Amino acid sequence: MNNFEIRELPGKGRAMIATKNFAKDEVIFEEEPFVSRQFSWNVAYGYAACDHCMRPLETVLENVRRLASDPKVEVPLLQHDPTAQWVAQFTQCPRCKVRYCSEDCLMEAQKRYHRVACMGAFHSDDTHPINVLNETWKKMHYPPETGSIMLIVRLMALYQQSTKKEEFLEQLQSFQSLIVNREQKIYHKMLGENFEQQMEQLYLAFCNAFTGEEFSIFKTPDAFKTLMAILGTNSQGIATSVLSQWVAKVSDLPLTDSEKEQLDTVIDGLYAKVGEFAGEFLNNEGSGLYLLQSKINHSCVPNACSTFPYSNDIVVLKALAPIQQGEEICISYLDECMLERSRHSRHKVLRENYVFICQCPKCRAQASDPDETSEDDDDDDEMDDYDDDDDMN
């Protein structure tokens, strides 16, 4: 039985409400994604992850040496490598050679989408329409990545292989919370100043990749825009890292103060090495759509957070503070640094990325604060585009 319910709140819309009390750090729910996919450039740069669940497919030593571009760098305490428990299970599709962390993931992928998604020998063929679509996207959306057209490709495979297509469409439609006149803002943010031309190029490449009659419901211009809007506003970022897992494990070892100090020095040195070459791009990165998690509203004073403790695409929602029965469960769509910025700055990011105006307690309390960003004119123009009935979280 769920310990929450999805309810319509007057003047706010859909919300997740607690039906019991939650203590701080208590797990509210765990959820597998409706669909997930590694980012396109992340794959291109050799970040090795299971094609189904995004679990890392490298040992910590392989990971550090690749990130540092140094085959001689050493990592101590390899007996605590978190991949050691599953490295022997790594497998691949016999036809296209796509890699998985286990037979279970391979079988689940085959059951849900990979029977139709498998490209066989064409997996590395640059002229294959799916690869052309992916390359078209990559030329428009460079790192740091916030989404991937390949998530939509996997959605199409899920739909094609589904034996319950009406149920699939109902679930997909549950992510659709935008109206057409707001979608332009999302595309502009995702694709830049030339978004209209780029959207047309993407649309043509998409239509060329999915020629079957069964895809016709997705191939109208408006349907494709809706898919892109879902990608832009509902997808949850996913990051997995064998290095961070190793750090967490060795940091919990029962060491003396002197040994802990030495270990901290080693860890700092490893991060410095990988940072010199890889910069901030240390993780396997991708995104997913989550039926439950996507229904949680934003607050600048969140009482819950989404975590990925298993180093795969399973999201775990945990309470950041005690939550009372009947209270709305909220997460932050912003990172910790952005949450500390001014109301004006927070609203700018939320409007650009999620197309709503936050009315959480913190924002209401700061309503009279002066604007503190340097882009006031642009923001004022943008605010004029909003109607009084725009979504407010």
Side-chain angles (χ1 to χ4, degrees), residues 344-388:
H344 192 67
S345 296
R346 299 195 307 272
H347 277 206
K348 180 179 186 297
V349 173
L350 290 169
R351 288 196 304 270
E352 288 181 348
N353 291 277
Y354 301 100
V355 200
F356 71 84
I357 304 169
C358 183
Q359 294 291 334
C360 73
K362 182 176 181 178
C363 287
R364 290 199 300 269
Q366 296 176 342
S368 60
D369 288 1
D371 294 345
E372 297 180 8
T373 67
S374 59
E375 300 172 292
D376 296 342
D377 291 341
D378 290 341
D379 287 346
D380 290 341
D381 291 342
E382 193 171 12
M383 283 295 293
D384 291 340
D385 293 335
Y386 283 78
D387 297 324
D388 291 338

Side-chain angles (χ1 to χ4, degrees), residues 105-228:
C105 271
L106 172 58
M107 291 175 62
E108 185 66 16
Q110 292 279 8
K111 183 175 73 173
R112 296 187 61 208
Y113 56 83
H114 194 67
R115 281 193 290 106
V116 300
C118 181
M119 294 163 58
F122 294 103
H123 181 72
S124 56
D125 181 355
D126 292 341
T127 66
H128 190 282
I130 295 294
N131 291 332
V132 171
L133 174 61
N134 191 33
E135 288 302 313
T136 302
W137 169 262
K138 286 166 60 181
K139 291 174 182 177
M140 300 174 182
H141 195 76
Y142 290 93
E145 297 173 271
T146 57
S148 172
I149 195 70
M150 297 306 286
L151 190 69
I152 293 179
V153 170
R154 181 153 293 173
L155 273 173
M156 295 300 98
L158 280 164
Y159 175 72
Q160 186 178 11
Q161 195 166 314
S162 173
T163 58
K164 300 179 179 179
K165 287 184 168 51
E166 288 188 7
E167 180 180 326
F168 175 91
L169 291 175
E170 287 178 3
Q171 292 175 322
L172 183 60
Q173 287 169 358
S174 73
F175 293 106
Q176 185 180 345
S177 60
L178 297 177
I179 56 177
V180 173
N181 67 347
R182 298 187 198 173
E183 291 174 348
Q184 296 291 83
K185 300 176 186 295
I186 300 301
Y187 310 145
H188 190 283
K189 183 67 178 177
M190 293 172 67
L191 301 176
E193 294 296 329
N194 299 319
F195 74 95
E196 289 185 358
Q197 178 182 354
Q198 292 180 338
M199 181 63 74
E200 180 65 19
Q201 292 173 353
L202 267 181
Y203 174 61
L204 292 175
F206 174 80
C207 291
N208 192 45
F210 297 97
T211 56
E213 180 63 28
E214 60 195 316
F215 298 114
S216 60
I217 59 173
F218 301 107
K219 290 171 62 176
T220 67
D222 284 346
F224 180 67
K225 288 179 180 179
T226 296
L227 288 174
M228 291 295 293

Side-chain angles (χ1 to χ4, degrees), residues 83-115:
T83 58
Q85 60 184 310
W86 65 73
V87 66
Q89 303 176 34
F90 292 172
T91 187
Q92 63 183 18
C93 171
R95 293 183 60 223
C96 66
K97 310 305 180 185
V98 164
R99 298 176 68 201
Y100 297 91
C101 68
S102 66
E103 284 290 336
D104 287 344
C105 271
L106 172 58
M107 291 175 62
E108 185 66 16
Q110 292 279 8
K111 183 175 73 173
R112 296 187 61 208
Y113 56 83
H114 194 67
R115 281 193 290 106

Side-chain angles (χ1 to χ4, degrees), residues 4 22 41 55 98 195-196 205 210 223 234 239 242 259 266 272 287 299 309 342 348 352:
F4 53 85
F22 289 97
W41 279 109
R55 188 189 299 274
V98 164
F195 74 95
E196 289 185 358
F210 297 97
N234 286 277
V242 64
E259 289 171 332
V266 170
S287 62
S299 173
S342 69
K348 180 179 186 297
E352 288 181 348

Side-chain angles (χ1 to χ4, degrees), residues 2-8 15-19 292 326-327 329:
N2 289 336
N3 296 316
F4 53 85
E5 63 181 7
I6 307 302
R7 188 190 305 168
E8 291 290 324
M16 181 176 287
I17 307 298
T19 56
L292 278 178
E327 184 179 350
I329 298 170

